[in-house]
Amino acid sequence: MVLTGRSGVVAAAGSVVVGVVSGVLHLPGWAGIAAFEAALGCGVAADALRAGSLRDLAFNRSGDATVRLGESATVSLDVVNVGDRPLRGTLRDAWAPSAGNVVRTTQPRQVMELAKEPRHALTIEPRSAQRVDSVLTPTRRGDRAPDRVTIRSLGPLGLAGRQVSREVPWRVRVLPPFESRKHLPSRLARLHETDGRTPVLVRGQGSEFDSLREYVVGDDVRSIDWRATARRNDVVVRTWRPERDRHVVIVLDTSRTSAGRVGDIPRLDSAIDATLLLAALATRAGDRVDLLAYDQQLRASVTGALPGRTLALFSDAMAVLEPSLIELNAEGLVTHLMRIRRRSLVVLLTSIDAAAIGEGLLPQMSRLTGHHKVVVGSVADPRIAQLSTARGDADAVFAAASAELALTTRRQVAAELGRHGVEVVDAIPERFAPALADRYLALKAAGRL
């Protein structure tokens, strides 16, 4: 049983009135107050007994099961009253704070915005139901589940009631945001030019033959097909298109280096965004894309996905990825990649810090580049470049020297990877995803996949 604020107000006001009346009539004040409180207690007990029964309630959830970070999802809770008495009260559907189940109100004369969980009024007649909607705006990706549903049934007088909490399971998977989607149309346009779908046709070493056409001034004379020219009595050239049906393997490093924040975003989140853009572009280009997430062991794997389902499966697998505060097992990762018999483009999204690459991945790189084409992508911190140009006092000069040392070390690591035949993409978070897509397009246009 629960007491409402109304019962406290009635008890306080009644005690004052009884005390005043007892003083006017020269009667013992404590006797009148005790009698009033006893009557009030009987009224509270009767009100609680007349409240709708909570045992006669059934719950069922429905609604959105997935949502992208930054968007809103609606989860509905159906409360069914199977009893013979009406139920009047309130309901609280509790979720984790990161689920974003809050009502925001701005109070006048206050700068701070207040947030609280919503309370829903319930009025359910016998043998009927009421639907309660919770609008969730999650603040973190991953799986979000509700805590408990608490219902308070009030009596007719509103003095007391009954309260119960029950678990009604549900899960909302918060998918990573695809913020680099805005770069996809321009990269697709470049892909169409490279692919021969527009008049701009390129020829790269290892490209596939597409068709024949008449010679146009400016064409590469090495593209002339002399046999076709002899048959037609006109100069004919071959057109080319990039290879199709290549295999691209995107590897996410989920070790401790992925937990580092560049600006307000962890490196892993920037890598996930770049993965979505590259996967969307590669599937449109006719290539097959697989995903691996690895640190000391395999954390996620998506292989053999159909082109129309690639992005959905990638988003679902990457939604629950979190950095692990352990070192990357480079030998185990390379051994896993060497099991892929077909020559592939391996895109490894990691950090090119000297400590992480020099002792772990670099000694294993020769094995990997002998079997696959490798691209290493790393998110650079723009603050280091800003600090390298700082001047003024002694502290600024020392900070600039340290920043320049860090930049020089990264360039040396990138050069060492390049000597092993590795393509390196090192860009700030805003440019990382499109830079990685541009490198893929360049390799595809050159026929180096």
Side-chain angles (χ1 to χ4, degrees):
M1 188 181 73
V2 294
L3 299 177
T4 65
R6 180 180 298 181
S7 60
V9 172
V10 172
S15 298
V16 172
V17 172
V18 171
V20 172
V21 172
S22 299
V24 172
L25 300 178
H26 303 287
L27 297 175
W30 60 267
I33 294 175
F36 172 77
E37 296 297 340
L40 179 61
C42 294
V44 166
D47 199 37
L49 291 175
R50 295 183 61 188
S53 174
L54 298 177
R55 296 180 180 178
D56 298 330
L57 295 181
F59 302 90
N60 182 40
R61 287 194 188 273
S62 61
D64 298 328
T66 60
V67 63
R68 285 208 176 270
L69 185 63
E71 301 177 358
S72 296
T74 301
V75 178
S76 300
L77 176 65
D78 292 324
V79 184
V80 183
N81 183 9
V82 298
D84 297 328
R85 286 185 294 176
L87 184 143
R88 181 174 61 88
T90 58
L91 179 144
R92 171 179 174 263
D93 191 6
W95 290 74
S98 58
N101 183 28
V102 296
V103 175
R104 300 185 179 276
T105 58
T106 304
Q107 301 293 338
R109 300 181 182 179
Q110 289 185 359
V111 180
M112 182 178 297
E113 189 182 58
L114 302 179
K116 62 180 181 179
E117 284 187 337
R119 303 294 193 272
H120 306 276
L122 290 181
T123 303
I124 311 177
E125 297 299 326
R127 310 295 178 180
S128 61
Q130 181 175 337
R131 171 165 291 186
V132 174
D133 293 331
S134 296
V135 180
L136 309 178
T137 307
T139 58
R140 293 178 57 191
R141 58 178 174 81
D143 290 339
R144 298 292 170 261
D147 186 7
R148 290 187 177 185
V149 176
T150 301
I151 290 186
R152 179 175 294 180
S153 175
L154 301 178
L157 301 178
L159 298 177
R162 309 175 187 181
Q163 180 171 306
V164 69
S165 295
R166 294 185 183 177
E167 293 184 356
V168 185
W170 189 255
R171 189 201 71 174
V172 176
R173 174 154 291 185
V174 185
L175 304 178
F178 191 3
E179 296 179 353
S180 60
R181 187 192 299 270
K182 59 186 177 182
H183 300 290
L184 185 58
S186 61
R187 270 63 190 178
L188 287 177
R190 289 181 54 186
L191 176 65
H192 294 167
E193 292 178 358
T194 306
D195 205 18
R197 300 177 191 175
T198 64
V200 180
L201 293 177
V202 298
R203 178 184 180 184
Q205 182 179 2
S207 297
E208 296 178 351
F209 171 75
D210 183 45
S211 61
L212 297 173
R213 63 172 173 83
E214 294 183 358
Y215 175 82
V216 178
V217 177
D219 284 338
D220 189 350
V221 296
R222 294 174 297 178
S223 298
I224 297 176
D225 190 317
W226 295 107
R227 291 185 179 181
T229 298
R231 288 194 299 268
R232 296 189 182 185
N233 293 325
D234 195 3
V235 181
V236 177
V237 296
R238 298 187 182 110
T239 60
W240 307 83
R241 68 179 182 182
E243 300 101 333
R244 287 177 170 271
D245 195 27
R246 301 303 173 186
H247 189 206
V248 181
V249 182
I250 305 176
V251 182
L252 290 175
D253 176 9
T254 57
S255 65
R256 64 171 184 84
T257 57
S258 65
R261 303 184 73 88
V262 179
D264 293 331
I265 303 176
R267 281 193 173 94
L268 181 58
D269 287 16
S270 298
I272 288 174
D273 188 55
T275 298
L276 292 175
L277 179 62
L278 181 58
L281 186 60
T283 53
R284 298 286 186 91
D287 293 332
R288 184 165 62 89
V289 189
D290 292 341
L291 172 69
L292 300 176
Y294 199 92
D295 41 60
Q296 289 284 337
Q297 59 184 356
L298 189 64
R299 300 294 180 179
S301 176
V302 179
T303 58
L306 296 176
R309 292 282 298 162
T310 300
L311 278 184
L313 294 177
F314 277 26
S315 296
D316 188 71
M318 294 186 296
V320 295
L321 288 179
E322 295 293 342
S324 301
L325 300 182
I326 54 179
E327 294 291 340
L328 173 66
N329 182 6
E331 183 177 359
L333 173 60
V334 172
T335 301
H336 188 87
L337 292 173
M338 293 296 291
R339 295 172 185 166
I340 303 175
R341 296 183 178 180
R342 181 181 179 183
R343 179 174 175 81
S344 308
L345 173 65
V346 176
V347 182
L348 175 58
L349 304 183
T350 183
S351 174
I352 59 172
D353 295 335
I357 293 291
E359 298 180 0
L361 194 60
L362 195 58
Q364 304 292 329
M365 197 55 69
S366 298
R367 293 175 54 201
L368 190 59
T369 54
H371 188 61
H372 300 295
K373 178 62 180 176
V374 182
V375 174
V376 172
S378 178
V379 180
D381 192 344
R383 295 175 299 177
I384 297 179
Q386 295 174 359
L387 287 175
S388 65
T389 60
R391 300 294 186 269
D393 54 7
D395 292 338
V397 172
F398 279 117
S402 299
E404 188 61 38
L405 179 61
L407 292 175
T408 302
T409 303
R410 289 179 71 89
R411 287 191 289 265
Q412 291 175 349
V413 172
E416 184 66 25
L417 288 172
R419 284 190 285 271
H420 284 78
V422 178
E423 301 275 345
V424 178
V425 177
D426 188 19
I428 61 176
E430 293 78 10
R431 291 290 309 157
F432 181 61
L436 190 64
D438 291 342
R439 185 61 58 90
Y440 164 78
L441 290 174
L443 292 174
K444 193 171 185 64
R448 298 171 58 191
L449 298 186

